[in-house]
Amino acid sequence: MRLIDVQDLKKHYSSGMINKQYTRAVDGVSFFIDKGETLGLVGESGCGKTTVGRLLLRLIEPTSGKIVFDGVDITGLGRKEMRKMRPRMQMIFQDPESSLNPKMRIGESIAEPFRLGLHGRMGKAEIKERVLELVDIVGLNPEHVNRFPYQLSGGQNQRVVLARILAINPEFIVADEPTASLDVSVQAQILRLIMDLKKDFGLTMLFISHDQEVVRHMSDRIAMMDRGKIKRIESAKRA
Amino acid sequence: MLLLDIIHLKTQFPTQDGMVKAVDTVDLQIAEGERIGLIGETGCGKTVLGMSIVRLLQPSTTIEGRILYRGRDILQLDEEEMRRLRGKEISMILQNPTTSLNPVLKIGDQIAEAIQLHQKLGKREAKSKAVEMLESVNIPDAQRRADQYPHELSGGMKERVMIAMGLACDPSFIVADEPTKGLDAKTKMQIVDLLREATAHKSLLIITHDLGVAEAICDRIAVMYAGELLEDASSRLILEEPIHPYMQGFINSLPSKGLMPIPGTSPSLIAPPHGCRFHPRCSRAMKICERRHPEMVEVERGHYVRCLLCA
């Protein structure tokens, strides 16, 4: 079953007024991701891989092409319809510190999806219980709940980001270099955690990284990107 | 010939929560022409160790111990003497070129500044030497690039500028702090090649958490954890036959070596664990590790380890 189907996706940027110059950040890419599958997307910096991730969630608008999510062409959806779609697709960014509100305690950040009523009305006690449950799942301690992002390490903050994503309970996740700012041993911890969560929650994922080894560990299939185009897609299993 | 001899170095700085013992009794010898990698994770004190050598630390920092450069204790030098040494004899390639370069000065002028200061050259001569330096770090079209501002350069280019600046006065000893941080794989390899060639006849301390980078450039690798050195040996031994459980765990956590994480998190440098600093996370910890602080011992020729399993 396909969850994501991308057809001839393009994103061109223009700069200058008289001498207009065009940058083809994404220049016609097509791929699909099955339900429960992880597709790795590798390439050097500037090849357009992050742009593809953002296009998939419609954080930016494509120049042309089609993105079908669970049978619905989301490129044609209006603001309101897209809003309903958003909780089903989420993104993990490279820098956890800038993904979290610095003025919100960790617990408040994780509780936000519940407070917004994403899963129906919930009482304070129920929200607190759910937050503690998620904190435990991502390997943090209850004492972290009352801290601010600056009081935690990069690895711990990335765990907070994961807990908040799980609170939303999405089906599809775009992970854009989620460990690029972390140390090797912390990177291993976070990647293991993402693998476990993916399995336990049956998630589908686009995993973006410039690190071939990391992508190989995380993915079922790997798409190689270069200068806005996907050069080839292959199985991640080593020959 | 010994070029730099670090003896019982202790660097601490005060914070609201207490004294941070960032470097806690480190001994490290660097010979003339030797290139050493200082490996360790964020917050283990490796940058503070580098900064201690060039003495670029906050005034509130206290440094104890000795750092002998060609037999002379640089910790005893006054500011003026240190200024004459810094950049000319010992230079530092700072991390994060984006924040280390002055955003409102042309890069050629920034490199020329150091040259003018140390080599008594005129403005014009210093500028043309700066262009030469840019050429030597393989920046194409150096003449034009010298008149550009940092924001007009890519990350890899900016790192090259930092290296050109560090090499500008032909120092004998260079500290390079995370020179490949934030660069993609291809650019990283180019910077590694450049550093290896540019420092071929110099002494280098390269601070990094990237083992591959250290291996490609260095003869020797020293491993730092919670303010102290845990293992020190030739690059080959550290990579192929690491002895300290921390180093073994570090290598196993690499994506190419199985991605097996070390449990737990790095300890606080304000109140580091008693006994062996790694024991709370160590899979082979014994009862005694909680109490006894291990000393560095030579387990085989040139291979030093701080672990009670080897004592």
Side-chain angles (χ1 to χ4, degrees), chain A residues 44-45 156 182-189 191-192 195 210-211 213-214 217-218, chain B residues 41-42 183-186 209 250 253-256 258-264 281:
Chain A
E44 288 172 31
S45 63
Q156 287 171 327
L182 305 176
D183 277 325
V184 259
S185 74
V186 183
Q187 162 171 286
Q189 290 178 343
L191 292 178
R192 286 276 161 198
M195 282 187 214
H210 66 267
D211 190 324
E213 287 289 346
V214 166
H217 273 280
M218 302 301 292
Chain B
E41 296 182 76
T42 311
L183 303 176
D184 67 63
K186 196 171 142 200
H209 62 250
F250 190 98
S253 69
L254 293 173
S256 56
L259 205 70
M260 288 311 298
I262 304 171
R281 304 173 69 188

Side-chain angles (χ1 to χ4, degrees), chain A:
Chain A
M1 256 292 278
R2 285 183 187 184
L3 186 68
I4 298 276
D5 203 343
V6 174
Q7 290 156 25
D8 201 24
L9 193 62
K10 286 183 184 167
K11 178 69 186 177
H12 296 178
Y13 290 101
S14 63
S15 66
M17 284 178 73
I18 302 155
N19 235 332
K20 262 203 172 175
Q21 299 210 332
Y22 290 93
T23 310
R24 296 185 174 89
V26 177
D27 199 15
V29 304
S30 303
F31 61 87
F32 66 90
I33 310 176
D34 280 331
K35 252 186 191 145
E37 186 189 33
T38 297
L39 179 71
L41 188 58
V42 279
E44 288 172 31
S45 63
C47 75
K49 55 191 193 300
T50 291
T51 309
V52 168
R54 289 174 186 233
L55 285 168
L56 284 199
L57 302 192
R58 268 191 71 192
L59 299 178
I60 46 179
E61 296 297 327
T63 306
S64 67
K66 236 165 112 175
I67 303 161
V68 181
F69 178 81
D70 202 14
V72 182
D73 180 1
I74 60 167
T75 40
L77 292 184
R79 273 177 74 109
K80 265 199 167 148
E81 295 160 306
M82 195 57 216
R83 225 186 138 90
K84 277 193 207 127
M85 241 8 181
R86 292 236 187 265
R88 300 177 65 187
M89 32 172 71
Q90 288 295 314
M91 186 146 183
I92 311 173
F93 294 95
Q94 175 170 336
D95 181 13
E97 275 76 14
S98 55
S99 314
L100 295 168
N101 185 335
K103 289 185 165 179
M104 262 192 192
R105 289 177 198 278
I106 295 311
E108 293 171 319
S109 273
I110 301 173
E112 194 80 340
F114 299 129
R115 289 204 313 109
L116 291 172
L118 219 55
H119 308 302
R121 267 182 172 278
M122 284 166 84
K124 266 192 178 157
E126 194 188 349
I127 290 177
K128 196 177 168 198
E129 192 186 320
R130 293 286 292 276
V131 167
L132 287 173
E133 215 176 271
L134 289 168
V135 160
D136 182 55
I137 289 173
V138 297
L140 291 169
N141 297 323
E143 62 180 76
H144 291 131
V145 166
N146 289 319
R147 298 214 196 145
F148 290 99
Y150 76 89
Q151 294 171 311
L152 298 184
S153 67
Q156 287 171 327
N157 276 324
Q158 203 59 295
R159 288 175 195 270
V160 175
V161 169
L162 286 168
R164 189 178 55 180
I165 284 174
L166 292 177
I168 298 164
N169 196 22
E171 294 154 61
F172 176 59
I173 289 179
V174 173
D176 188 5
E177 304 264 16
T179 58
S181 62
L182 305 176
D183 277 325
V184 259
S185 74
V186 183
Q187 162 171 286
Q189 290 178 343
I190 296 296
L191 292 178
R192 286 276 161 198
L193 177 63
I194 293 176
M195 282 187 214
D196 291 344
L197 296 177
K198 203 209 129 195
K199 204 165 62 201
D200 296 346
F201 291 83
L203 299 167
T204 306
M205 192 156 68
L206 179 72
F207 190 92
I208 303 169
S209 174
H210 66 267
D211 190 324
Q212 300 241 8
E213 287 289 346
V214 166
V215 167
R216 225 164 260 290
H217 273 280
M218 302 301 292
S219 317
D220 301 302
R221 284 182 303 137
I222 300 176
M224 316 279 182
M225 205 168 163
D226 183 29
R227 274 168 285 176
K229 289 190 158 78
I230 287 179
K231 292 289 165 197
R232 61 175 190 277
I233 300 179
E234 60 182 34
S235 164
K237 299 282 168 295
R238 277 166 204 276

